[in-house]
Amino acid sequence: MGGMPENHDPIRLLAIRDTPLSLDEVYEAVGDDAAGGTTVFVGTVRDHDGGRPVSVLEYSCHPSAERELRRVAAKVVADFPVRALAAVHRVGRLGITDKAVIVAVSCAHRGEAFAAARRLIDDLKHEVPIWKHQVFADGGEEWVGAGDC
C-alpha cells in the first residue's frame, strides 16, 4: 500500500456480537483522510427466503469465527489498496429488518472501495463459520452455513 505509514493497520474493526450492530460505529471505523471512496454494505433480516415466509432467524458461529474473519479481512487488505476496513456480524435471535452484518471499506478511489467491499462480504459469507437457522411460518426449517450463502 503505497504512501501508508509502516504502522498503519487498515483493519480497524472486526467483531462477532450478540448485540445490535451500529452502522455509525462501522462507518466511523473506516474514516481515513486519504480515502476518496467508502463503501458500506448492510445485510438485514428479511421476512422471506426462497418464497417462504420466515418467522424466526438465529445466527450461531464456531469458536474460530473471529479468527477466520480476521484471515478473510487480511486477504482483502493484501489484494486491494485498502485504507481502512471494518466488518461486524451478529449472532443470536434476530428480528425482521435487524442488521445481521455490516462491512465497510475505504480506499483512495470508489472503484477500489466497491471491489474490496464486495470481496469482503462474499468471502465472509463463504468462509467464516457462521450458520443461519431459519424457521418458516409453515413450520419447516433450514440451516444455511458458510459456503451455502
Side-chain angles (χ1 to χ4, degrees), residues 40-108:
V40 179
F41 171 80
V42 180
T44 56
V45 177
R46 62 181 176 256
D47 65 358
H48 68 282
D49 190 39
R52 298 168 71 187
V54 171
S55 59
V56 174
L57 186 110
E58 290 185 281
Y59 283 95
S60 58
C61 68
H62 188 271
S64 68
E66 283 197 8
R67 182 178 70 239
E68 290 302 306
L69 179 57
R70 179 159 293 279
R71 183 186 59 76
V72 163
K75 280 189 348 185
V76 171
V77 166
D79 291 346
F80 294 90
V82 171
R83 294 298 309 174
L85 174 151
V88 292
H89 202 296
R90 180 116 180 248
V91 293
R93 188 179 183 120
L94 281 73
I96 305 304
T97 74
D98 281 351
K99 295 172 196 73
V101 60
I102 305 172
V103 301
V105 176
S106 61
C107 296

